[in-house]
Every structure is written in structure tokens, then in C-alpha cells.
Amino acid sequence: GELEGAAAFLFTSSSTVSNLCRADAIDRTNPAVCIGPVTARTADEEGFSRIHVSAKATIDSLLEKTVEVLEEG
């Protein structure tokens, strides 16, 4: 699909997790970087195995966490 080769998925809400999971066959072993604990819980329920949560519920914090996750490998 269009998301093949994605290094990570960034989620800003539970609905974005659910909608993406319905829309495409995605690799749920890729990191899921979530803006908060509710979104992370939905990612867990949708089968993601590598879930990370930003320190604050802001886009800047989400991006900082994403960079950290990608640098860690």
C-alpha cells in the first residue's frame, strides 16, 4: 500500500489510529508515536507493538518524541 516503507506512524487522536488501521494493511511492528495516553491505548488495542507517548500533548512534543524514537532505531 501507500504506507509501505513508513519508518513510524504519528497519531494525534484515537480516531486517526482507528481510521488508518481500517484504511490500509499497515505494519503494526513499526513505531506508533502517540500524542497522549488515550491515543496510545487505542494503538495498543489496534495491535501496535512499539508504542511511544509524547511528554506533552502538543505537536512539538510529538515531533520531539518521533525524532528520539527514530534515532534510537
Side-chain angles (χ1 to χ4, degrees), residues 5-30:
F9 297 103
L10 282 69
F11 295 116
T12 57
S13 70
S14 289
S15 63
T16 60
V17 177
S18 299
N19 290 334
L20 179 66
C21 289
R22 276 195 291 270
D24 203 344
I26 58 173
D27 184 357
R28 288 173 173 81
T29 63
N30 283 351

Side-chain angles (χ1 to χ4, degrees), residues 12-70:
T12 57
S13 70
S14 289
S15 63
T16 60
V17 177
S18 299
N19 290 334
L20 179 66
C21 289
R22 276 195 291 270
D24 203 344
I26 58 173
D27 184 357
R28 288 173 173 81
T29 63
N30 283 351
V33 186
C34 302
I35 201 161
V38 173
T39 304
R41 186 171 42 252
T42 303
D44 181 57
E45 291 168 358
E46 290 287 356
F48 283 90
S49 58
R50 297 169 56 200
I51 300 167
H52 307 270
V53 182
S54 60
K56 295 186 232 176
T58 65
I59 296 299
D60 286 343
S61 185
L62 182 67
L63 294 176
E64 287 171 12
K65 178 54 91 174
T66 302
V67 169
E68 178 184 312
V69 167
L70 293 177

